[in-house]
Amino acid sequence: MPIASVVSASGGAGKTTLALLLGYYVATHAGDPRSVLLVDLDPTAGLSLRAFGDEGYVELCRKRKSLYHLDLDWTQGVAVDVDKYAERPGSAAPAISNVAILPPGEDESGDMASRVDDWFRFGDRERLLRLLKESHALEKYNYVIVDTAPFFDVRYSIAAIAASDVVLIPLRPTVTDLVRTKRMVEKLKKAGITNKPILFIFNYDKDKFRQATATLVKLGFYVYKHGGTAQVQKRLRALIEDLGRYGQFAKAVLPHIKQLSDSEFPANKIPEGDLYTCPAMAEIFRHLAPDKTPDCPARYEEE
């Protein structure tokens, strides 16, 4: 039962979109949609707010349906079951209507940030994994995907990666993102938790980074409808090759498109036969479950 964590070194790299999209893809093309659990470990609740909306998230917190409340109850010796604390968005997010989501949670007494403070105060960086086991999440769900807070607070990444089998890192093809990502991976290595397979995924607007696109195409990446050519950026190429020493790159680029914006997804389903996202998601899924062949209705030919 694979657990994947999604972490990033920069804000706006598409971390939450990737987590939602992977949940959608696995539920739609890789088996029973009710076998996927999304864990929102970001105390700002970005993933949960996109799935349930503002009022919906507040109502879930009122009903104590969250990771925060699961952790509180388990700490107090209560027998916990993940299904008591997770919720499916239904009509609030048609694209992932049957995917279970465990929101971060908050109330007048505290929030997920205060719980993570306690985890690390007592040296319990494997707390998330313990909670998933104790709440039977690993028995009830075939796939668990953990979205995290930005790397500015390293503890969330450490807790998520400690629970994971695979680490997914979205980034843009910019010098800044590549340098930050390498720095992040090196910090995680010093923390002793980078023995997990790492998959880097480029996620960006190809129309805004034409030179970067030319560099990626030259390096063998697939960018759907990438258009014309531009001069290869030597500095960018060197940084990509250097970062490749720490993990693998998905060869299919995930493009930034309107259908995946906060207002569009997961509020709307992705069209069947989608050529933009499916090749990248199928490649990521192979890293999650190497023994399974992903069912991707979209096929592309090299340009």
Side-chain angles (χ1 to χ4, degrees), residues 245-279:
R245 298 186 296 113
Y246 297 90
Q248 290 183 264
F249 278 95
K251 285 300 183 180
V253 168
L254 182 62
H256 178 79
I257 55 176
K258 183 177 183 294
Q259 291 93 323
L260 296 181
S261 64
D262 290 10
S263 61
E264 295 287 332
F265 181 79
N268 298 305
K269 293 183 178 180
I270 298 174
E272 193 72 12
D274 165 52
L275 283 168
Y276 284 94
T277 64
C278 200

PDB file of all heavy atoms in Angstrom, residues 245-279:
ATOM      1  N   ARG A 245      21.112  13.878  -9.675  1.00  0.00           N
ATOM      2  CA  ARG A 245      21.907  12.983  -8.821  1.00  0.00           C
ATOM      3  C   ARG A 245      21.151  12.569  -7.566  1.00  0.00           C
ATOM      4  O   ARG A 245      21.505  11.592  -6.910  1.00  0.00           O
ATOM      5  CB  ARG A 245      23.217  13.671  -8.406  1.00  0.00           C
ATOM      6  CG  ARG A 245      24.138  14.018  -9.565  1.00  0.00           C
ATOM      7  CD  ARG A 245      25.469  14.561  -9.094  1.00  0.00           C
ATOM      8  NE  ARG A 245      25.341  15.818  -8.373  1.00  0.00           N
ATOM      9  CZ  ARG A 245      25.589  15.983  -7.073  1.00  0.00           C
ATOM     10  NH1 ARG A 245      25.951  14.957  -6.327  1.00  0.00           N
ATOM     11  NH2 ARG A 245      25.472  17.170  -6.508  1.00  0.00           N
ATOM     12  N   TYR A 246      20.101  13.330  -7.225  1.00  0.00           N
ATOM     13  CA  TYR A 246      19.371  13.091  -5.974  1.00  0.00           C
ATOM     14  C   TYR A 246      18.085  12.285  -6.174  1.00  0.00           C
ATOM     15  O   TYR A 246      17.467  11.857  -5.204  1.00  0.00           O
ATOM     16  CB  TYR A 246      19.013  14.425  -5.325  1.00  0.00           C
ATOM     17  CG  TYR A 246      20.222  15.238  -4.924  1.00  0.00           C
ATOM     18  CD1 TYR A 246      20.801  16.144  -5.802  1.00  0.00           C
ATOM     19  CD2 TYR A 246      20.789  15.089  -3.661  1.00  0.00           C
ATOM     20  CE1 TYR A 246      21.911  16.892  -5.435  1.00  0.00           C
ATOM     21  CE2 TYR A 246      21.902  15.835  -3.280  1.00  0.00           C
ATOM     22  CZ  TYR A 246      22.458  16.733  -4.183  1.00  0.00           C
ATOM     23  OH  TYR A 246      23.562  17.468  -3.816  1.00  0.00           O
ATOM     24  N   GLY A 247      17.672  12.111  -7.416  1.00  0.00           N
ATOM     25  CA  GLY A 247      16.433  11.383  -7.680  1.00  0.00           C
ATOM     26  C   GLY A 247      16.182  11.327  -9.179  1.00  0.00           C
ATOM     27  O   GLY A 247      17.031  11.708  -9.985  1.00  0.00           O
ATOM     28  N   GLN A 248      15.008  10.868  -9.539  1.00  0.00           N
ATOM     29  CA  GLN A 248      14.628  10.781 -10.940  1.00  0.00           C
ATOM     30  C   GLN A 248      13.713  11.941 -11.323  1.00  0.00           C
ATOM     31  O   GLN A 248      12.999  12.486 -10.475  1.00  0.00           O
ATOM     32  CB  GLN A 248      13.891   9.468 -11.214  1.00  0.00           C
ATOM     33  CG  GLN A 248      14.749   8.228 -11.154  1.00  0.00           C
ATOM     34  CD  GLN A 248      13.946   6.994 -11.504  1.00  0.00           C
ATOM     35  OE1 GLN A 248      13.453   6.291 -10.629  1.00  0.00           O
ATOM     36  NE2 GLN A 248      13.799   6.735 -12.795  1.00  0.00           N
ATOM     37  N   PHE A 249      13.725  12.288 -12.589  1.00  0.00           N
ATOM     38  CA  PHE A 249      12.785  13.259 -13.122  1.00  0.00           C
ATOM     39  C   PHE A 249      11.707  12.536 -13.914  1.00  0.00           C
ATOM     40  O   PHE A 249      12.005  11.623 -14.695  1.00  0.00           O
ATOM     41  CB  PHE A 249      13.494  14.242 -14.072  1.00  0.00           C
ATOM     42  CG  PHE A 249      14.202  15.371 -13.390  1.00  0.00           C
ATOM     43  CD1 PHE A 249      15.551  15.283 -13.093  1.00  0.00           C
ATOM     44  CD2 PHE A 249      13.514  16.533 -13.047  1.00  0.00           C
ATOM     45  CE1 PHE A 249      16.213  16.329 -12.461  1.00  0.00           C
ATOM     46  CE2 PHE A 249      14.167  17.577 -12.418  1.00  0.00           C
ATOM     47  CZ  PHE A 249      15.522  17.475 -12.122  1.00  0.00           C
ATOM     48  N   ALA A 250      10.459  12.940 -13.704  1.00  0.00           N
ATOM     49  CA  ALA A 250       9.398  12.475 -14.600  1.00  0.00           C
ATOM     50  C   ALA A 250       9.658  13.103 -15.960  1.00  0.00           C
ATOM     51  O   ALA A 250       9.883  14.308 -16.056  1.00  0.00           O
ATOM     52  CB  ALA A 250       8.028  12.891 -14.062  1.00  0.00           C
ATOM     53  N   LYS A 251       9.635  12.313 -17.003  1.00  0.00           N
ATOM     54  CA  LYS A 251       9.947  12.828 -18.337  1.00  0.00           C
ATOM     55  C   LYS A 251       8.776  13.591 -18.948  1.00  0.00           C
ATOM     56  O   LYS A 251       8.965  14.424 -19.830  1.00  0.00           O
ATOM     57  CB  LYS A 251      10.378  11.685 -19.260  1.00  0.00           C
ATOM     58  CG  LYS A 251      11.788  11.185 -18.985  1.00  0.00           C
ATOM     59  CD  LYS A 251      12.813  12.312 -19.175  1.00  0.00           C
ATOM     60  CE  LYS A 251      14.231  11.834 -18.978  1.00  0.00           C
ATOM     61  NZ  LYS A 251      15.210  12.938 -19.167  1.00  0.00           N
ATOM     62  N   ALA A 252       7.566  13.295 -18.510  1.00  0.00           N
ATOM     63  CA  ALA A 252       6.395  14.029 -19.004  1.00  0.00           C
ATOM     64  C   ALA A 252       6.167  15.240 -18.112  1.00  0.00           C
ATOM     65  O   ALA A 252       6.004  15.115 -16.899  1.00  0.00           O
ATOM     66  CB  ALA A 252       5.161  13.139 -19.021  1.00  0.00           C
ATOM     67  N   VAL A 253       6.186  16.412 -18.690  1.00  0.00           N
ATOM     68  CA  VAL A 253       5.989  17.654 -17.941  1.00  0.00           C
ATOM     69  C   VAL A 253       4.494  17.864 -17.673  1.00  0.00           C
ATOM     70  O   VAL A 253       3.658  17.588 -18.539  1.00  0.00           O
ATOM     71  CB  VAL A 253       6.563  18.848 -18.740  1.00  0.00           C
ATOM     72  CG1 VAL A 253       6.129  20.175 -18.140  1.00  0.00           C
ATOM     73  CG2 VAL A 253       8.081  18.746 -18.791  1.00  0.00           C
ATOM     74  N   LEU A 254       4.185  18.335 -16.481  1.00  0.00           N
ATOM     75  CA  LEU A 254       2.800  18.656 -16.140  1.00  0.00           C
ATOM     76  C   LEU A 254       2.586  20.141 -16.419  1.00  0.00           C
ATOM     77  O   LEU A 254       3.121  20.995 -15.714  1.00  0.00           O
ATOM     78  CB  LEU A 254       2.537  18.360 -14.665  1.00  0.00           C
ATOM     79  CG  LEU A 254       1.124  18.591 -14.162  1.00  0.00           C
ATOM     80  CD1 LEU A 254       0.135  17.690 -14.887  1.00  0.00           C
ATOM     81  CD2 LEU A 254       1.048  18.360 -12.651  1.00  0.00           C
ATOM     82  N   PRO A 255       1.822  20.484 -17.451  1.00  0.00           N
ATOM     83  CA  PRO A 255       1.678  21.896 -17.817  1.00  0.00           C
ATOM     84  C   PRO A 255       0.683  22.628 -16.939  1.00  0.00           C
ATOM     85  O   PRO A 255      -0.301  22.054 -16.457  1.00  0.00           O
ATOM     86  CB  PRO A 255       1.182  21.828 -19.270  1.00  0.00           C
ATOM     87  CG  PRO A 255       0.429  20.550 -19.333  1.00  0.00           C
ATOM     88  CD  PRO A 255       1.127  19.596 -18.392  1.00  0.00           C
ATOM     89  N   HIS A 256       0.953  23.895 -16.708  1.00  0.00           N
ATOM     90  CA  HIS A 256       0.026  24.748 -15.970  1.00  0.00           C
ATOM     91  C   HIS A 256      -1.064  25.197 -16.935  1.00  0.00           C
ATOM     92  O   HIS A 256      -0.813  25.934 -17.876  1.00  0.00           O
ATOM     93  CB  HIS A 256       0.761  25.964 -15.402  1.00  0.00           C
ATOM     94  CG  HIS A 256      -0.126  26.922 -14.672  1.00  0.00           C
ATOM     95  ND1 HIS A 256      -0.539  26.702 -13.388  1.00  0.00           N
ATOM     96  CD2 HIS A 256      -0.696  28.091 -15.064  1.00  0.00           C
ATOM     97  CE1 HIS A 256      -1.319  27.709 -13.009  1.00  0.00           C
ATOM     98  NE2 HIS A 256      -1.434  28.552 -14.009  1.00  0.00           N
ATOM     99  N   ILE A 257      -2.279  24.702 -16.726  1.00  0.00           N
ATOM    100  CA  ILE A 257      -3.391  25.043 -17.608  1.00  0.00           C
ATOM    101  C   ILE A 257      -4.581  25.515 -16.787  1.00  0.00           C
ATOM    102  O   ILE A 257      -4.688  25.237 -15.588  1.00  0.00           O
ATOM    103  CB  ILE A 257      -3.806  23.835 -18.483  1.00  0.00           C
ATOM    104  CG1 ILE A 257      -4.117  22.617 -17.593  1.00  0.00           C
ATOM    105  CG2 ILE A 257      -2.738  23.508 -19.505  1.00  0.00           C
ATOM    106  CD1 ILE A 257      -4.621  21.425 -18.371  1.00  0.00           C
ATOM    107  N   LYS A 258      -5.476  26.236 -17.430  1.00  0.00           N
ATOM    108  CA  LYS A 258      -6.633  26.826 -16.755  1.00  0.00           C
ATOM    109  C   LYS A 258      -7.492  25.768 -16.063  1.00  0.00           C
ATOM    110  O   LYS A 258      -8.037  25.994 -14.976  1.00  0.00           O
ATOM    111  CB  LYS A 258      -7.480  27.600 -17.760  1.00  0.00           C
ATOM    112  CG  LYS A 258      -8.684  28.322 -17.155  1.00  0.00           C
ATOM    113  CD  LYS A 258      -9.423  29.114 -18.215  1.00  0.00           C
ATOM    114  CE  LYS A 258     -10.580  29.897 -17.590  1.00  0.00           C
ATOM    115  NZ  LYS A 258     -11.628  28.996 -17.052  1.00  0.00           N
ATOM    116  N   GLN A 259      -7.584  24.580 -16.668  1.00  0.00           N
ATOM    117  CA  GLN A 259      -8.433  23.527 -16.104  1.00  0.00           C
ATOM    118  C   GLN A 259      -7.955  23.048 -14.734  1.00  0.00           C
ATOM    119  O   GLN A 259      -8.700  22.376 -14.022  1.00  0.00           O
ATOM    120  CB  GLN A 259      -8.496  22.329 -17.061  1.00  0.00           C
ATOM    121  CG  GLN A 259      -9.258  22.614 -18.343  1.00  0.00           C
ATOM    122  CD  GLN A 259      -8.347  23.084 -19.458  1.00  0.00           C
ATOM    123  OE1 GLN A 259      -7.374  23.820 -19.206  1.00  0.00           O
ATOM    124  NE2 GLN A 259      -8.628  22.681 -20.680  1.00  0.00           N
ATOM    125  N   LEU A 260      -6.705  23.375 -14.371  1.00  0.00           N
ATOM    126  CA  LEU A 260      -6.168  22.942 -13.080  1.00  0.00           C
ATOM    127  C   LEU A 260      -6.045  24.095 -12.087  1.00  0.00           C
ATOM    128  O   LEU A 260      -5.462  23.923 -11.015  1.00  0.00           O
ATOM    129  CB  LEU A 260      -4.799  22.292 -13.274  1.00  0.00           C
ATOM    130  CG  LEU A 260      -4.766  21.008 -14.102  1.00  0.00           C
ATOM    131  CD1 LEU A 260      -3.342  20.476 -14.182  1.00  0.00           C
ATOM    132  CD2 LEU A 260      -5.697  19.960 -13.518  1.00  0.00           C
ATOM    133  N   SER A 261      -6.594  25.253 -12.413  1.00  0.00           N
ATOM    134  CA  SER A 261      -6.521  26.400 -11.500  1.00  0.00           C
ATOM    135  C   SER A 261      -7.379  26.152 -10.268  1.00  0.00           C
ATOM    136  O   SER A 261      -8.250  25.271 -10.246  1.00  0.00           O
ATOM    137  CB  SER A 261      -6.988  27.672 -12.211  1.00  0.00           C
ATOM    138  OG  SER A 261      -8.363  27.558 -12.567  1.00  0.00           O
ATOM    139  N   ASP A 262      -7.158  26.946  -9.229  1.00  0.00           N
ATOM    140  CA  ASP A 262      -7.895  26.779  -7.977  1.00  0.00           C
ATOM    141  C   ASP A 262      -9.397  26.832  -8.185  1.00  0.00           C
ATOM    142  O   ASP A 262     -10.163  26.103  -7.538  1.00  0.00           O
ATOM    143  CB  ASP A 262      -7.479  27.868  -6.976  1.00  0.00           C
ATOM    144  CG  ASP A 262      -6.066  27.671  -6.463  1.00  0.00           C
ATOM    145  OD1 ASP A 262      -5.354  26.812  -7.017  1.00  0.00           O
ATOM    146  OD2 ASP A 262      -5.666  28.371  -5.519  1.00  0.00           O
ATOM    147  N   SER A 263      -9.850  27.710  -9.087  1.00  0.00           N
ATOM    148  CA  SER A 263     -11.283  27.884  -9.296  1.00  0.00           C
ATOM    149  C   SER A 263     -11.900  26.773 -10.154  1.00  0.00           C
ATOM    150  O   SER A 263     -13.112  26.543 -10.107  1.00  0.00           O
ATOM    151  CB  SER A 263     -11.557  29.242  -9.951  1.00  0.00           C
ATOM    152  OG  SER A 263     -10.921  29.318 -11.220  1.00  0.00           O
ATOM    153  N   GLU A 264     -11.050  26.065 -10.928  1.00  0.00           N
ATOM    154  CA  GLU A 264     -11.566  25.063 -11.867  1.00  0.00           C
ATOM    155  C   GLU A 264     -11.469  23.623 -11.357  1.00  0.00           C
ATOM    156  O   GLU A 264     -12.307  22.782 -11.666  1.00  0.00           O
ATOM    157  CB  GLU A 264     -10.806  25.179 -13.192  1.00  0.00           C
ATOM    158  CG  GLU A 264     -11.016  26.485 -13.941  1.00  0.00           C
ATOM    159  CD  GLU A 264     -12.382  26.567 -14.581  1.00  0.00           C
ATOM    160  OE1 GLU A 264     -12.948  25.522 -14.920  1.00  0.00           O
ATOM    161  OE2 GLU A 264     -12.882  27.701 -14.743  1.00  0.00           O
ATOM    162  N   PHE A 265     -10.431  23.335 -10.581  1.00  0.00           N
ATOM    163  CA  PHE A 265     -10.182  21.954 -10.153  1.00  0.00           C
ATOM    164  C   PHE A 265      -9.914  21.894  -8.659  1.00  0.00           C
ATOM    165  O   PHE A 265      -9.143  22.709  -8.141  1.00  0.00           O
ATOM    166  CB  PHE A 265      -8.966  21.388 -10.916  1.00  0.00           C
ATOM    167  CG  PHE A 265      -8.637  19.976 -10.589  1.00  0.00           C
ATOM    168  CD1 PHE A 265      -9.369  18.938 -11.143  1.00  0.00           C
ATOM    169  CD2 PHE A 265      -7.617  19.667  -9.706  1.00  0.00           C
ATOM    170  CE1 PHE A 265      -9.078  17.621 -10.837  1.00  0.00           C
ATOM    171  CE2 PHE A 265      -7.317  18.357  -9.392  1.00  0.00           C
ATOM    172  CZ  PHE A 265      -8.052  17.336  -9.970  1.00  0.00           C
ATOM    173  N   PRO A 266     -10.594  20.978  -7.943  1.00  0.00           N
ATOM    174  CA  PRO A 266     -11.393  19.845  -8.420  1.00  0.00           C
ATOM    175  C   PRO A 266     -12.894  20.130  -8.547  1.00  0.00           C
ATOM    176  O   PRO A 266     -13.697  19.194  -8.530  1.00  0.00           O
ATOM    177  CB  PRO A 266     -11.138  18.795  -7.339  1.00  0.00           C
ATOM    178  CG  PRO A 266     -11.019  19.605  -6.088  1.00  0.00           C
ATOM    179  CD  PRO A 266     -10.328  20.892  -6.492  1.00  0.00           C
ATOM    180  N   ALA A 267     -13.281  21.402  -8.671  1.00  0.00           N
ATOM    181  CA  ALA A 267     -14.702  21.723  -8.808  1.00  0.00           C
ATOM    182  C   ALA A 267     -15.276  21.150 -10.098  1.00  0.00           C
ATOM    183  O   ALA A 267     -16.472  20.859 -10.176  1.00  0.00           O
ATOM    184  CB  ALA A 267     -14.905  23.248  -8.781  1.00  0.00           C
ATOM    185  N   ASN A 268     -14.433  20.972 -11.115  1.00  0.00           N
ATOM    186  CA  ASN A 268     -14.871  20.415 -12.395  1.00  0.00           C
ATOM    187  C   ASN A 268     -14.019  19.211 -12.757  1.00  0.00           C
ATOM    188  O   ASN A 268     -12.824  19.164 -12.456  1.00  0.00           O
ATOM    189  CB  ASN A 268     -14.753  21.471 -13.506  1.00  0.00           C
ATOM    190  CG  ASN A 268     -15.634  22.676 -13.240  1.00  0.00           C
ATOM    191  OD1 ASN A 268     -16.837  22.542 -13.041  1.00  0.00           O
ATOM    192  ND2 ASN A 268     -15.025  23.858 -13.234  1.00  0.00           N
ATOM    193  N   LYS A 269     -14.642  18.253 -13.427  1.00  0.00           N
ATOM    194  CA  LYS A 269     -13.916  17.077 -13.864  1.00  0.00           C
ATOM    195  C   LYS A 269     -13.009  17.416 -15.041  1.00  0.00           C
ATOM    196  O   LYS A 269     -13.272  18.339 -15.793  1.00  0.00           O
ATOM    197  CB  LYS A 269     -14.893  15.973 -14.261  1.00  0.00           C
ATOM    198  CG  LYS A 269     -15.699  15.418 -13.095  1.00  0.00           C
ATOM    199  CD  LYS A 269     -16.586  14.275 -13.551  1.00  0.00           C
ATOM    200  CE  LYS A 269     -17.364  13.687 -12.377  1.00  0.00           C
ATOM    201  NZ  LYS A 269     -18.240  12.573 -12.819  1.00  0.00           N
ATOM    202  N   ILE A 270     -11.945  16.647 -15.185  1.00  0.00           N
ATOM    203  CA  ILE A 270     -11.038  16.809 -16.313  1.00  0.00           C
ATOM    204  C   ILE A 270     -11.599  16.000 -17.477  1.00  0.00           C
ATOM    205  O   ILE A 270     -12.025  14.856 -17.290  1.00  0.00           O
ATOM    206  CB  ILE A 270      -9.625  16.333 -15.947  1.00  0.00           C
ATOM    207  CG1 ILE A 270      -9.071  17.196 -14.807  1.00  0.00           C
ATOM    208  CG2 ILE A 270      -8.697  16.367 -17.142  1.00  0.00           C
ATOM    209  CD1 ILE A 270      -7.753  16.716 -14.276  1.00  0.00           C
ATOM    210  N   PRO A 271     -11.610  16.554 -18.687  1.00  0.00           N
ATOM    211  CA  PRO A 271     -12.178  15.823 -19.819  1.00  0.00           C
ATOM    212  C   PRO A 271     -11.502  14.478 -20.041  1.00  0.00           C
ATOM    213  O   PRO A 271     -10.297  14.333 -19.895  1.00  0.00           O
ATOM    214  CB  PRO A 271     -11.922  16.765 -21.004  1.00  0.00           C
ATOM    215  CG  PRO A 271     -11.775  18.116 -20.395  1.00  0.00           C
ATOM    216  CD  PRO A 271     -11.130  17.889 -19.057  1.00  0.00           C
ATOM    217  N   GLU A 272     -12.308  13.455 -20.371  1.00  0.00           N
ATOM    218  CA  GLU A 272     -11.774  12.131 -20.673  1.00  0.00           C
ATOM    219  C   GLU A 272     -10.852  12.232 -21.894  1.00  0.00           C
ATOM    220  O   GLU A 272     -11.116  12.966 -22.838  1.00  0.00           O
ATOM    221  CB  GLU A 272     -12.918  11.161 -20.972  1.00  0.00           C
ATOM    222  CG  GLU A 272     -12.505   9.704 -20.989  1.00  0.00           C
ATOM    223  CD  GLU A 272     -12.212   9.156 -19.607  1.00  0.00           C
ATOM    224  OE1 GLU A 272     -12.539   9.830 -18.618  1.00  0.00           O
ATOM    225  OE2 GLU A 272     -11.659   8.060 -19.533  1.00  0.00           O
ATOM    226  N   GLY A 273      -9.764  11.491 -21.889  1.00  0.00           N
ATOM    227  CA  GLY A 273      -8.831  11.545 -22.990  1.00  0.00           C
ATOM    228  C   GLY A 273      -7.913  12.750 -22.920  1.00  0.00           C
ATOM    229  O   GLY A 273      -7.309  13.144 -23.907  1.00  0.00           O
ATOM    230  N   ASP A 274      -7.807  13.330 -21.724  1.00  0.00           N
ATOM    231  CA  ASP A 274      -6.973  14.523 -21.540  1.00  0.00           C
ATOM    232  C   ASP A 274      -5.525  14.237 -21.907  1.00  0.00           C
ATOM    233  O   ASP A 274      -4.903  13.324 -21.375  1.00  0.00           O
ATOM    234  CB  ASP A 274      -7.078  14.959 -20.071  1.00  0.00           C
ATOM    235  CG  ASP A 274      -6.004  15.944 -19.696  1.00  0.00           C
ATOM    236  OD1 ASP A 274      -5.867  16.942 -20.411  1.00  0.00           O
ATOM    237  OD2 ASP A 274      -5.309  15.700 -18.697  1.00  0.00           O
ATOM    238  N   LEU A 275      -4.985  15.027 -22.804  1.00  0.00           N
ATOM    239  CA  LEU A 275      -3.614  14.831 -23.264  1.00  0.00           C
ATOM    240  C   LEU A 275      -2.599  15.628 -22.458  1.00  0.00           C
ATOM    241  O   LEU A 275      -1.399  15.421 -22.595  1.00  0.00           O
ATOM    242  CB  LEU A 275      -3.500  15.218 -24.752  1.00  0.00           C
ATOM    243  CG  LEU A 275      -4.047  14.189 -25.747  1.00  0.00           C
ATOM    244  CD1 LEU A 275      -4.153  14.808 -27.131  1.00  0.00           C
ATOM    245  CD2 LEU A 275      -3.170  12.954 -25.802  1.00  0.00           C
ATOM    246  N   TYR A 276      -3.066  16.543 -21.636  1.00  0.00           N
ATOM    247  CA  TYR A 276      -2.143  17.402 -20.902  1.00  0.00           C
ATOM    248  C   TYR A 276      -1.635  16.715 -19.625  1.00  0.00           C
ATOM    249  O   TYR A 276      -0.445  16.692 -19.356  1.00  0.00           O
ATOM    250  CB  TYR A 276      -2.828  18.726 -20.530  1.00  0.00           C
ATOM    251  CG  TYR A 276      -2.955  19.686 -21.688  1.00  0.00           C
ATOM    252  CD1 TYR A 276      -4.102  19.738 -22.457  1.00  0.00           C
ATOM    253  CD2 TYR A 276      -1.906  20.533 -22.028  1.00  0.00           C
ATOM    254  CE1 TYR A 276      -4.218  20.612 -23.525  1.00  0.00           C
ATOM    255  CE2 TYR A 276      -2.003  21.415 -23.091  1.00  0.00           C
ATOM    256  CZ  TYR A 276      -3.169  21.457 -23.836  1.00  0.00           C
ATOM    257  OH  TYR A 276      -3.270  22.316 -24.893  1.00  0.00           O
ATOM    258  N   THR A 277      -2.549  16.197 -18.837  1.00  0.00           N
ATOM    259  CA  THR A 277      -2.163  15.698 -17.519  1.00  0.00           C
ATOM    260  C   THR A 277      -1.945  14.199 -17.459  1.00  0.00           C
ATOM    261  O   THR A 277      -1.129  13.722 -16.685  1.00  0.00           O
ATOM    262  CB  THR A 277      -3.227  16.070 -16.471  1.00  0.00           C
ATOM    263  OG1 THR A 277      -4.460  15.402 -16.797  1.00  0.00           O
ATOM    264  CG2 THR A 277      -3.466  17.562 -16.445  1.00  0.00           C
ATOM    265  N   CYS A 278      -2.657  13.439 -18.257  1.00  0.00           N
ATOM    266  CA  CYS A 278      -2.643  11.989 -18.112  1.00  0.00           C
ATOM    267  C   CYS A 278      -1.275  11.350 -18.309  1.00  0.00           C
ATOM    268  O   CYS A 278      -0.888  10.480 -17.533  1.00  0.00           O
ATOM    269  CB  CYS A 278      -3.673  11.363 -19.044  1.00  0.00           C
ATOM    270  SG  CYS A 278      -4.135   9.693 -18.543  1.00  0.00           S
ATOM    271  N   PRO A 279      -0.497  11.724 -19.335  1.00  0.00           N
ATOM    272  CA  PRO A 279       0.827  11.093 -19.480  1.00  0.00           C
ATOM    273  C   PRO A 279       1.716  11.304 -18.249  1.00  0.00           C
ATOM    274  O   PRO A 279       2.405  10.386 -17.810  1.00  0.00           O
ATOM    275  CB  PRO A 279       1.403  11.786 -20.720  1.00  0.00           C
ATOM    276  CG  PRO A 279       0.198  12.176 -21.512  1.00  0.00           C
ATOM    277  CD  PRO A 279      -0.822  12.587 -20.489  1.00  0.00           C
TER     278      PRO A 279
END
